[in-house]
Amino acid sequence: MTALSREIVALCRSLGACDVGFFDTPHELGHGISIAVRLSDAIVDEIDGAPTFTYFNHYRSVNALIDHILLRTGILLAEHGYRYITVAASQSIPTLGAYRGRFSHKMGAVLSGMGHVGRNCLFIHEKYGPRVRLGTVLTDFDAKVRRESTDRDYFCDKCNICVRACPAQALYGRDFDAENPDEPLMDYRACSEHMKRAYHHIGRGAVCGICMRVCPKGQKSRDETKKL
Ligand code: B12
């Protein structure tokens, strides 16, 4: 690991990231930095058949924190002479297509080796399951750090609990296929329309979180933390 990549990891962690990874990408500046911020188990556990007002606040404050961490990382990169583009924690850019951000944080997180994508179509972190929110900095800095998520305990068990629990019946129950990575695992429109229709009064149609709440991989991280 180079001195700058070490400095980036230390900065992101000091600001609240639970993990930081590096990856190469043919997009934009050639390389990326993926960060994960762990959500509060107590807040996620309160999601019971519907999102809560507290979860909506958490969603917004974690997004703000992620945007801050990404900007601080970018400023550090610029001080060392590198270019950077921060990808907003949560921003759809309709000119890029329906339900698309500038860059898929899940893809960055997978490529950086921090975990994988499960049947709930969420990124499952190798230690915290899906209860993480993500961010990405695109950059021309090549950290030359490569890692692979190997903890199979955190791989999706294909239990389909998320598929059954989704109130919009949006999840196809399909596995992520590295050979065919662009194949959708869910009906984005069904998910989005349900959030707008059913939860507008709670989270302005931006949150649900049931697929994250019910995933046993997230509950496992909580149980393990208690043991420490
Ligand atoms: C638009 C959007 C939505 C849309 C579309 C959902 C979607 N899955 O894309 C709607 C409104 C439906 C939505 C819903 C939700 N969202 Co949303 N959303 C986004 C946003 C802003 C853009 C996503 C995007 O560009 N999608 C385009 C598709 C193509 O990519 P993708 O699904 O992100 O990822 C696929 C590819 O990356 C591919 N892939 C994986 N590895 C690789 C490797 C290679 C080489 C390739 C080519 C592809 C590939 O597999 C993934 C799954 O198919 C992102 C933020 C961001 N910039 O990433 C948040 C984001 C995906 N949302 C998030 C969350 C948590 C939610 C909700 C739970 C709502 C909530 N907050 O309560 C639900 C859950 C839906 C679900 N089960 O996935 C989180 C996911 C965190 C995680 N642990 O995975 C993100 C990353 C925001 C964040 N900052 O953390 N969301």
Side-chain angles (χ1 to χ4, degrees):
M1 217 190 233
T2 63
L4 180 54
S5 34
R6 262 196 299 275
E7 209 181 324
I8 289 168
V9 172
L11 173 71
C12 294
R13 285 191 169 271
S14 74
L15 292 171
C18 67
D19 205 355
V20 185
F22 300 89
F23 60 94
D24 298 325
T25 168
H27 299 272
E28 318 263 359
L29 298 172
H31 309 281
I33 302 167
S34 175
I35 67 140
V37 171
R38 196 178 174 189
L39 294 172
S40 156
D41 274 327
I43 293 173
V44 173
D45 286 343
E46 285 182 348
I47 299 172
D48 186 13
T52 63
F53 290 97
T54 306
Y55 171 58
F56 182 46
N57 169 261
H58 195 47
Y59 157 90
R60 291 208 289 192
S61 42
V62 172
N63 281 345
L65 177 67
I66 290 171
D67 286 341
H68 178 88
I69 298 173
L70 299 180
L71 182 58
R72 291 284 300 273
T73 304
I75 290 169
L76 177 61
L77 285 162
E79 278 168 4
H80 285 80
Y82 294 102
R83 288 162 64 77
Y84 76 91
I85 295 169
T86 50
V87 180
S90 191
Q91 182 187 44
S92 294
I93 303 183
T95 48
L96 297 177
Y99 308 112
R100 280 197 105 94
R102 173 159 188 162
F103 184 87
S104 165
H105 295 318
K106 290 179 212 169
M107 179 167 83
V110 168
L111 293 176
S112 70
M114 297 196 292
H116 71 288
V117 168
R119 279 200 179 170
N120 54 10
C121 191
L122 292 173
F123 172 74
I124 315 252
H125 186 270
E126 62 183 359
K127 197 161 164 203
Y128 308 114
R131 295 178 177 205
V132 289
R133 287 190 70 75
L134 305 167
T136 312
V137 182
L138 301 169
T139 178
D140 53 359
F141 166 62
D142 181 2
K144 298 194 174 68
V145 179
R146 303 293 167 257
R147 146 183 169 195
E148 203 182 328
S149 172
T150 50
D151 188 349
R152 298 209 73 86
D153 275 3
Y154 277 88
F155 278 46
C156 178
D157 278 335
K158 313 176 197 302
C159 65
N160 283 341
I161 291 174
C162 54
V163 177
R164 289 193 295 274
C166 173
Q169 297 179 328
L171 297 170
Y172 299 145
R174 184 180 290 157
D175 296 321
F176 174 74
D177 177 5
E179 304 285 301
N180 202 0
D182 291 328
E183 188 72 25
L185 306 185
M186 64 177 284
D187 180 342
Y188 300 142
R189 188 189 166 86
C191 171
S192 176
E193 291 301 316
H194 183 81
M195 291 197 289
K196 284 190 202 143
R197 205 173 40 245
Y199 313 131
H200 189 265
H201 61 298
I202 301 170
R204 302 200 188 144
V207 291
C208 172
I210 293 171
C211 54
M212 169 183 63
R213 159 70 177 86
V214 299
C215 176
K217 300 299 165 180
Q219 290 161 15
K220 184 171 186 297
S221 77
R222 178 190 56 190
D223 295 344
E224 289 206 335
T225 311
K226 267 188 190 156
K227 274 188 241 148
L228 295 175

